[in-house]
Amino acid sequence: MKKILYAFVFLSVMMGCKKTSYVPKFDKTPQERAADQIKLVSTTLTSATNGWIATMPTQAGGGYGFFITFDTEQGVTMLGDMTNESATTLGKSYYRVKQDMGTELVFDTYNYISMLDDPNGAVLGGASKVGYSSDIEFTYDRMNGDSIFFVGKKYRQPLKMVKATAAQKTAYTNGDYLTAINKLKNFFTTVKYPYVEVVSGSATLKAGISMNATNNLAAGKRVTFTGVLADGMTVGSASAKFAFTLDGADILGGGLVYQGVKFVRFFWKDAATLVMYDSTGKEYVVKSNPTPITPLWLLIGTGYTSVTVANATTAPGWGADYVTRRADAANKMLTGGYALRLEQMSYAFNNASKKMTLKVNMPQNTTPYVGTINYTYNRSDNGVFKFTYVDADGNGGIIVPFMASLLAQRLNVDTFNIDYFSDPSGTILAQFKSIENPTFTFTGTLQ
């Protein structure tokens, strides 16, 4: 009986101790915690007296940069790098910080961020109904030092904002953003073949750089590296979205990874020296090459899928033999009983299947027709192409005999080098050059 009594007393004491020492896990209600976080985000946004430098990729398009200020009356002003006007004219709108599935930053009147969501493609070139698949509502993620991070509510793209300095605020509001944008654009217009050197194993590779600064949905606001890898035969390529900054550009979405190196920004080291930095802080000077970094024969059928030859009697890069033979083919098509005109020709390559398709525009009076002539091809290890005629469709079959001087006597039997050709305007074209008949050369635009 005494043992039972002692056990009862012991349990009572222990229960009493547990009760008096218990501390609730949360000392505030969910509503109070939500209010605290709303206050934290709001205060952080409005307390940055010099504003914020923001970057954001879009899901369907490229990346974009902004300068944003928030006031305590729910007013927001911003600049954006999408157009000359948006980079120089402060747009004013309103914002809210509210609670939903988390603390949210909502731009609820039209502004430059809204332009990326505009369903009217005429506004900025986005897709009908969805624009660039970009958000106007963002969920708060975290803070780190002088940065605050949000994530798009629908498309899940990161919006990163870093506090601006007084000098940066002055630069943005004085119109220096557009000056900085144009400086980087002009560099990649003037320097035709820019590259950086990347160490890969025991090899130092040249990675050619191209920057598309347009708002094109499929290719705009992206930077691409392309170069020949250590084996001398394989082409490496990588692409990433970017946003313009006052001192260059930030590469978004985790950087551009090329041969194991993650590149994260462009930066003007001085007035004339553009460099890139990788994620470790290593510097890479952007240099200029006299010719394109990657030989064209390695890109035909992969990086470039077609060469379109103009409707002309002669053009830059056309040899005398080609001019004569094209004139002969044009005359035979016109006088061969069908009154067909020889106009634009397009050579489409598929390096995976090793097929080349020649499409010939061949109008009859005012009625357009296209003839298709099919080939296979082989490419040697040093870039020599050999084409083999396969067949043609109905229209193509009609013109194959008329085009014998171009096809049966040259394209079908000769071997060819395909290389870059710069026309008098500086435009880079592709040039086919017969090895057996060196004056049988012709050029076309690359696509």
Side-chain angles (χ1 to χ4, degrees), residues 1-12:
M1 184 67 180
K2 288 182 179 180
K3 291 182 178 180
I4 296 174
L5 179 60
Y6 290 152
F8 177 76
V9 171
F10 176 75
L11 289 172
S12 298

Side-chain angles (χ1 to χ4, degrees), residues 304-326:
Y304 297 108
T305 56
S306 68
V307 178
T308 301
V309 180
N311 173 25
T313 56
T314 187
W318 290 15
D321 188 44
Y322 180 80
V323 170
T324 299
R325 289 174 178 276
R326 187 196 182 283

